[in-house]
Amino acid sequence: MAKGNIRQSKLRRFFAKLFAAGLMFAVASGVGTAPAETLSKPLSANDVSILFPAPRSPGDLVNLIAVADLAGPTRAPQRLLSDGDFARFIANAENPERPGVPDSGARHIELPDLVKKIDAWFVAGIRIDPGAPGLSADVIAQFGRQPQIRLIIQPVTNGPEGLKVHDTAGHLIFSFNLEPDPPLDGCAPFPRFKPDDEAFKAIVRDVASLRDQLAAAKFGNVKVSTAGDMNVHPGLVGASAKPFRDALKALLEKHLSPQRLNTMAVMGISPPEPWVFVSMLRVPQAGLIPVPGPTLDGQHAAQMFSIVGGTHVVPRPATNNQNPVTCRHATLQNPPLPNANRKGVSTADFIDASVPNSRVREIVNIIADPKKSHFFNTDCVSCHTETAQPLVRKVQSFAVPGVNRAVLPKEDWNVRNFGWFPSFLHGGPAAATITRRAAAETADVVAFINSQLLNK
């Protein structure tokens, strides 16, 4: 070998040794390497189902999030709920049925003028959900999986009679999807949702960060634990309430946009009752429209629950929660799933008839199970009465695991799943309410996020 080549070879070996030594030193000293990422602890029910305390005085409103104050991303001038969408929300609530549809017997929601102004509406609850209409393998196979943030909103006014929480509630549903998969046979126009999990993981990380900041006394200099049974969120009471409320508002404005708002729902009264339920969907060209109930007849969009009269649930639903899960139903499908092909239960089975308590328990066990019952096979009234009715009837062996007793419905006409119920029968302040159905859905959400999305 030539002397020049020998010298070059020695130099290469020399620099290689220096490089290795330097690399070893850098590793030992931590220079040039990223610290190990700290894994987030598993989330709890109160982290993903966030219930605000019901206001009792005008001073409590500062700790709530006004819908009119929610901006789009990066504080865009456009509100999260635009004037146009709010106008459609109100119009659909009061006139949900299409022209020419026969009268079903359900009355119409009547909203006071003050409630028709967006300034009256506040966020009562926030639900973080990685997969509507359900997280079981059977539901996902039929419908796909749609991650959502759902805002439960309710009107609160302060007039001559003082502060009033109205017996009305809405859902604003913001979705996180990629281009969907084609619908299964017979299920058009509904495609199978494809989740945008990367966008949703960012939400999960921020939710976990807020939980950790609460525990570290970053809000109001008090340490707050979110563990335990579902309740009014512990960070929204006491010294942490206002700063934590501000952090929640920032989280919503960071991740939500008007373009993600594709679904709404409303429950309102024809004073002093009945309670009327209507769902809405954004469709091309037409915008937000009331949609026929998936368990009704393919025509009617409203369902009513009434104290008076011999029939309390109108129209009577034809549910499908005892058949294998299918994407076939009665909403915008032509033809709708025939009643003869449906098999299911509803709370109308015992509200409008005399059945033994054992049968009541069987019925509500099915309705409260998200693996069996969901929006497309179970009616609205059933999902909003499955806890209050058996509790008031004192059905033996009926229990609501995972929910603090303080927020269980105390009255059979409380139709809240997750929100504030003002009793027109007994008066008093509005009652924060969580049902077994809400708890069961939340348990599924927590299990899915912790196993599939957190730290991924």
Side-chain angles (χ1 to χ4, degrees), residues 251-435:
L251 182 146
L252 296 177
E253 292 178 335
K254 175 181 177 182
H255 293 287
L256 301 184
S257 68
Q259 293 72 32
R260 294 191 181 277
L261 179 59
N262 292 312
T263 315
M264 295 183 180
V266 64
M267 189 289 307
I269 60 172
S270 178
E273 64 94 39
W275 296 266
V276 181
F277 298 82
V278 179
S279 295
M280 311 171 202
L281 178 68
R282 193 186 302 278
V283 299
Q285 285 79 51
L288 283 162
I289 64 167
V291 294
T295 60
L296 302 181
D297 57 5
Q299 299 186 75
H300 292 98
Q303 189 184 29
M304 179 181 81
F305 175 51
S306 178
I307 292 177
V308 300
T311 302
H312 300 292
V313 181
V314 178
R316 179 69 178 263
T319 57
N320 198 36
N321 45 32
Q322 289 184 294
N323 270 330
V325 175
T326 174
C327 56
R328 295 280 288 120
H329 49 81
T331 296
L332 304 180
Q333 293 182 348
N334 189 20
L337 182 65
N339 285 8
N341 293 354
R342 306 183 207 176
K343 179 183 178 182
V345 296
S346 69
T347 56
D349 296 343
F350 62 82
I351 293 174
D352 285 334
S354 178
V355 302
N357 280 347
S358 59
R359 180 58 178 160
V360 172
R361 192 166 58 249
E362 290 173 1
I363 291 169
V364 296
N365 284 348
I366 291 171
I367 294 168
D369 186 348
K371 296 176 180 60
K372 298 177 181 178
S373 300
H374 52 77
F375 172 77
F376 292 104
N377 69 9
T378 304
D379 63 301
C380 292
V381 169
S382 287
C383 283
H384 285 263
T385 55
E386 55 77 30
T387 298
Q389 291 288 321
L391 280 177
V392 173
R393 292 164 184 258
K394 295 181 168 44
V395 172
Q396 188 176 10
S397 301
F398 177 79
V400 187
V403 179
N404 190 291
R405 292 179 61 85
V407 291
L408 289 177
K410 309 296 192 299
E411 186 177 323
D412 49 357
W413 311 114
N414 183 345
V415 296
R416 293 296 178 277
N417 262 352
F418 195 79
W420 310 323
F421 173 68
S423 174
F424 77 93
L425 288 177
H426 304 294
T433 301
I434 301 175
T435 63

